[in-house]
Amino acid sequence: MVMKVLSADHAVAWAVRRAKAEVIPAFPITPQTLIMELLAEFIADGEMDADLITAESEHSVMSIAVGASAGGVRTFTATASQGLALMHEMLYAAPQNRLPVVMVNVNRSLGAAAGIWVEHNDSMPERESGWLQVYVEDGQEALDMVLQAYRIAEDERVLLPIMVCLDGFILSHTVERVEVPEQEDVDAFLPRFKPAFALDPEDPSTINAIVPPEYAMEMRYQLDRTVERSKMVIKEVDEEFKERFGRGHGGLIDTYKMDDADHALICLGTATSTARAIVDELRSQGRKAGLIKLRFMRPFPHEELREVCSGLRAVGVFDRSIGFNRYGPVFTEVSSSLSGQGLKVTDHIGGLGGRDITLRDMRDIYAIIGSDAEGKEVKRVNWHGLRGVQT
Amino acid sequence: MPRNDYFLSGHGACPGCGVAIAVKNIMRVLGSETTVYVPASCLIVFSALYPTSAFKVPFFFTAFENTGAVITGIKAAHRRRGVQGNVVGFAGDGGTFDIGLQALSGAADRGEDVLYVCVDNEAYMNTGIQRSGATPFGAWTTTSPIGKRIQGNRRMKKDIMDVVIAHNPSYAATLSIAHFNDFIKKVDKAKKKKGFRFLHVLTPCVPGWKIESSRTVEIARLAVETGMWTLYEYEDGEARSTYRPQEMRPVTEYLQLQGRFRHMNNEDLNNLQRYLCNKWYYHYGHDIEQPVCRIYKGEKELHFDGDPLHGV
Ligand SMILES: Cc1ncc(C[n+]2csc(CCOP(=O)(O)OP(=O)(O)O)c2C)c(N)n1
Ligand code: SF4
């Protein structure tokens, strides 16, 4: 075990090196570039044996990744924002063909009000693509999740691609103490990739023919069931990781001070850390506040969420993304999951376009959820940190 | 010529399809140690419709514009796993000249060790005959219709070989299904070389060109004889023609067999002929005696020749 001071991007690069990914197509986009630059250095210095392929676009990056994975090797790539959007078409090729590609998406805002700062509006629209999606909170979790991602993705019960999402700049460019596991420990946890099938003239097969209506729906059904089944594997892998490396991340969801909580916030990514500080503050005042860290958006942990939320009087959802004229996507998912429970749910939108989520914002959020729990009138959807007056 | 088929009969192409003829014969030369990628095109639909497949070798499909990239990925995996043989992509003209150009350029620029074959039927056929960058001057397609104001495609065919050659590939060649020895030699060369290789095959299309299905090969031959298609190869930094017709036949001989050109007027015919004369000098200039080219001023326009398939 080695302690290093690394940004989350560099922590990811170390994880990819330890995972011994063999084909790495790359195209630059801030704030993802640090990952590929460090991998390029590892390879150029002979410390890592892999093909870094400098593609001419992200569409081609995902095409190369899909080709390499179908060719039977462990594949990695990373992107963000506009790059992820350009891949959109090709994202669908990986899950439908059961190709266990691992990709890091460094969350960044997309489109007009253009910017390079964190927002989840790039990855949230891709949650119906068939990719598994996990959101991490710090550099250590980013590194660990890349290792776990390969185990989950390549498990024969799963064989699906995974997108590891990390908050741009807050994580990608901020350095922290990160523990980089030893190569032999990673090798024991994550053995060499043995593809379940591959394009090989020794054993020819057709992968991805055109599928007429007589068969296509069954393929969709199988994929749906597989995403559901991956929940079990995600939990198993996190438990095994914890045994081997001494730290787990909770699998699908992680909780903080939920045992006797009567109200709580559901959070993704780095906002969780801010929320944790406010929970401590509220607890010192004798309030029964709790925190639920939602790690996976796909598979979505419906049962787990219902279980931790049972007994609560109100729950809030934090969204770092927005479905315009509607709610944030996390709220939509959580609400459908909790429907019928009679639980009050409010949506809290903030941090868009990289706007800071301050302790004060988080305090306001908890104040609304607390009032909701006490039966006071509150707004269902609340924007936090907006300049000017909300109407 | 090897007799083993790796592209099997029983597929769903139109009778007389030039793409099917080209792919079948290329696969015979490439042999069993070949992995095939096909993007969205006629070929994917007529060769791999679940639960059947016409390819007897590993076969993959994903999207339309990414042939250069997917074959890059497969080849990288094969290299790492020590898998032998060629990785080949068969893309249409739309998937090469237009939407696929970026991925093609990327792969060529990186010098990927792959074989890229463009099966060129001069339009987007799978979606119902729309104009592409490969559609020749004057040709009717559904998006270059014969209107009162504009008749047919108004641009000369894009020279994709020049674009590819600008990337300095290890091998590039044009092929005709009517010039078989030349065809086989070039596929065999492409098979044996390393690095980025590009083959460009003219593949007549029965409904798209409005031709009789028995005339595919004859029309491919006339394309060469009239200068509409030139047979040459690029190797070691130099281009060289591999076949030169005895004389330059008037382009009308090629056009009149195809319903897609039936409407062309004299002015357009002369424009095309003039363009072909320049092209002829560009390709054969080093070994021709002047003059080879005759511009048909004021002669009869193309007329309906009575064949019900022409111009329907
Ligand atoms: C991104 C995208 N745009 C459009 C299509 C629809 N499409 C499928 S095949 C095709 C035409 C293919 O034309 P070409 O490459 O010339 O091959 P051909 O069918 O003529 O052999 C088109 C437009 C698609 N599959 N993907
Ligand atoms: S439409 Fe043209 S290219 Fe397509 S199968 Fe028929 S003949 Fe071949």
Side-chain angles (χ1 to χ4, degrees), chain A residues 89, chain B residues 40-43 64-65 92-95 99 121 123-127:
Chain A
E89 181 197 29
Chain B
S41 60
C42 271
L43 180 56
F64 188 19
E65 57 281 61
D93 49 287
I99 196 169
N121 50 25
Y124 295 85
M125 295 311 179
N126 185 44
T127 37

Side-chain angles (χ1 to χ4, degrees), chain A residues 72 98 100 154 156 159 193-198 203:
Chain A
R98 311 296 293 273
E154 292 169 5
E156 296 228 348
L159 289 179
F193 177 43
K194 281 198 214 74
F197 58 88
D203 180 21

